[in-house]
Amino acid sequence: MMEVAGPWTEVFEGSERMEKSNGADTLLGSSTLTLAPLVTDSPSVRRSQPILITSSRTKTVEHFSSSVPSIPNPFPELCSPSKSPVLNNSLPPTSSDKHLIKVYGEDNHSRSVWVSPRATAREVCHTLVQTAHCSDQENWALLELHPTLGLERCLEDHEVALEVQATWSLKGDTRLVFCKNYAKYEFFRKPVLFFPESMISDSADVSKGMTLSELIQNLLRSGTCPEIQGFLHVKEPSRKAWKKVYFFLRRSGLYCSSKGSSKEPRHLQYVADLEDLNVYTVVNSRKLYGAPTDFTFCIKPSRNPVRTQDLKILCAESEQTRTCWTSAFRLFKYGKQLQCNYQLSKLAPQSPEGTNLTENKSRSEASLVAMDFSGKAGGRVIQNPTEAQNAEKEEGQAWRRREALRCSLPNLNSGARPTSIHRSQPWFHGGVSRKEAQRLVEKQGLVDGMFLIRESQQHAQCFVLSLCYQLKTKHYLVIPCEDAGRKYFTMDDGLTLFIDLLQLVEFHQINKGILPVCLKHPCVCVAL
């Protein structure tokens, strides 16, 4: 028996007894035991009395809250505005129409975010940029990844994230990955590179005096693209063999020819409707599907869960051919919507104050001009391309002389900038293989200037600069060398020396040197 000083009431589950307290009726039917002091005028002490518990239960149950005063929070600054010690982003929002989705980073760690039912991929990316405190707000994307089947595609900015998830199989391992994608709208900037003349159908109207480049640009501005044709390897159903077939991609759908490259209606076979399919890039296609090349993609119905029997796997001869086909699929399916998405992407908000470290590096080369400040009247713009190229070489040589002089100073502290400073840079990826480096570059977009640096697996103490140029990944060996007892790095047999890899990258972000293009976009691993 427990004795409690002061007036009190004893409440047990299932009780129906009504007691009088100061003339007020109280129903005892709570599912918990509550001790609540009662305000009375009598100072006498009452001992507990047995309460009769009947077998029947009432349908109406009232919950009593404790009147014990709450303890003040000693750390209010660590709590959310609602005075809860739990962080805001882990609690469901006040509105009931929010849904929780899980998004993975490239380090396989995930983050859950609350989104509205009609939240688009662009809005989800914006939310992740804010919650993950990303250093910039541009060129982010959601990647739909099917690891078992080796399929992946970049969600369009206007696609609704929850509608995409609704098409997934509950037993699958499909996920959304938050990553960089610089090539999402690259075909609007360089259409001739993405749509080579050899792949454009000869039925294109060029009789109005327009060049092929002007025709492509006009079509892209109107939200479409020219008809595409060419040979593709197709995997025959229920067989391991691959067959080479001539395909045609038109506004009305995808067709193949039953007789060589004939386009006669009696030889064309209808393959798929563009409105009801998605196009995916296939990763590791040689191992998974026995593809003849690595440039594989597939199409599947967009409304159905991913099943192997529904996949139409196609294989191209080169990366440019595959990119042309996949870009044309997107343009024919979404049309003007992609043009609107591209215009919105250019209006993306600027990086917040303090995080615009890459703002100058992301500018287009078209906004940079060669200047000559040798005269007394101030600077002048160099109009002659040959003179501008010579000025660039002279500036590079002057930069090398200044660096050589700085490194030869006797009071230079060699430990002030260690040679291992590259390990803390986002563009350094350690000892990844050549194939994995190409995969990382392709995943974040085959745009000119995308790069990373890795350790060479074939040459000890050497590094490799992997750079994307014209839809291809090129690799440049960075060799260590010594001069006057000092260690340097070089890519041009000692003509240009760098004291560390960070200096090498900073130089080539401004000067091409031996590279075909300046370093623009570091290939980074996004972690949430």
Side-chain angles (χ1 to χ4, degrees), residues 359-377:
E359 181 180 357
N360 294 332
K361 299 177 183 179
S362 62
R363 293 177 181 175
S364 171
E365 286 186 339
S367 63
L368 304 177
V369 295
M371 299 287 295
D372 178 20
F373 296 97
S374 60
K376 296 182 180 180

Side-chain angles (χ1 to χ4, degrees), residues 262-496:
S262 174
K263 293 190 295 184
E264 296 184 17
R266 59 194 181 96
H267 295 149
L268 292 183
Q269 297 179 357
Y270 181 76
V271 177
D273 181 10
L274 303 184
E275 295 294 330
D276 189 38
L277 62 84
N278 287 325
V279 57
Y280 293 80
T281 300
V282 183
V283 183
N284 200 14
S285 58
R286 288 180 182 268
K287 181 179 180 180
L288 294 176
Y289 302 101
T293 70
D294 292 322
F295 314 111
T296 311
F297 64 99
C298 84
I299 55 176
K300 83 161 194 74
S302 56
R303 300 291 180 181
N304 302 333
V306 177
R307 299 181 302 177
T308 306
Q309 57 268 30
D310 295 333
L311 302 181
K312 189 74 172 180
I313 303 177
L314 306 169
C315 186
E317 295 289 346
S318 64
E319 180 60 46
Q320 186 181 35
T321 304
R322 176 172 69 171
T323 305
C324 179
W325 282 101
T326 54
S327 301
F329 271 107
R330 293 172 57 201
L331 283 165
F332 276 135
K333 179 177 180 179
Y334 296 110
K336 193 66 177 178
Q337 182 65 56
L338 284 190
Q339 178 71 20
C340 296
N341 293 347
Y342 171 56
Q343 298 298 332
L344 288 175
S345 68
K346 295 193 296 184
L347 301 177
Q350 298 296 324
S351 301
E353 183 178 357
T355 59
N356 56 355
L357 299 178
T358 59
E359 181 180 357
N360 294 332
K361 299 177 183 179
S362 62
R363 293 177 181 175
S364 171
E365 286 186 339
S367 63
L368 304 177
V369 295
M371 299 287 295
D372 178 20
F373 296 97
S374 60
K376 296 182 180 180
R380 68 178 180 90
V381 178
I382 301 177
Q383 302 288 349
N384 190 342
T386 304
E387 184 183 0
Q389 187 176 8
N390 293 334
E392 179 185 359
K393 292 181 179 179
E394 292 178 2
E395 177 63 24
Q397 293 173 359
W399 182 88
R400 286 192 288 270
R401 287 194 296 268
R402 290 194 301 268
E403 288 298 315
L405 177 61
R406 184 177 69 85
C407 294
S408 63
L409 293 177
N411 59 350
L412 177 65
N413 183 11
S414 59
R417 194 174 189 182
T419 56
S420 61
I421 191 174
H422 57 269
R423 297 190 177 276
S424 62
Q425 302 303 312
W427 39 258
F428 183 72
H429 288 256
V432 299
S433 64
R434 180 189 182 99
K435 185 176 182 180
E436 181 63 21
Q438 293 183 181
R439 172 75 190 118
L440 290 172
V441 173
E442 292 173 1
K443 189 175 183 180
Q444 298 196 12
L446 289 173
V447 296
D448 291 351
M450 173 75 68
F451 74 98
L452 63 85
I453 293 183
R454 56 188 174 89
E455 297 173 352
S456 175
Q457 295 184 334
Q458 298 180 355
H459 305 278
Q461 299 182 351
C462 293
F463 298 90
V464 178
L465 170 65
S466 299
L467 173 67
C468 179
Y469 179 64
Q470 292 186 350
L471 302 179
K472 296 181 181 179
T473 304
K474 301 178 179 295
H475 306 274
Y476 299 87
L477 188 63
V478 181
I479 303 174
C481 63
E482 289 189 6
D483 186 13
R486 296 181 181 274
K487 184 178 179 180
Y488 299 95
F489 293 96
T490 182
M491 291 193 301
D492 53 9
D493 297 329
L495 181 61
T496 311

Side-chain angles (χ1 to χ4, degrees), residues 57 65 89 97 107 139 258 272 327 335:
R57 295 178 179 265
S65 61
N89 57 5
D97 61 343
D107 58 349
N139 302 307
S258 60
S327 301

Side-chain angles (χ1 to χ4, degrees), residues 4-11 21-22 34-40 46 64-69:
V4 180
W8 55 277
T9 58
E10 195 169 11
V11 183
S21 176
N22 292 335
T34 305
L35 297 179
L38 301 178
V39 180
T40 61
R46 294 170 48 194
F64 290 86
S65 61
S66 175
S67 61
V68 179

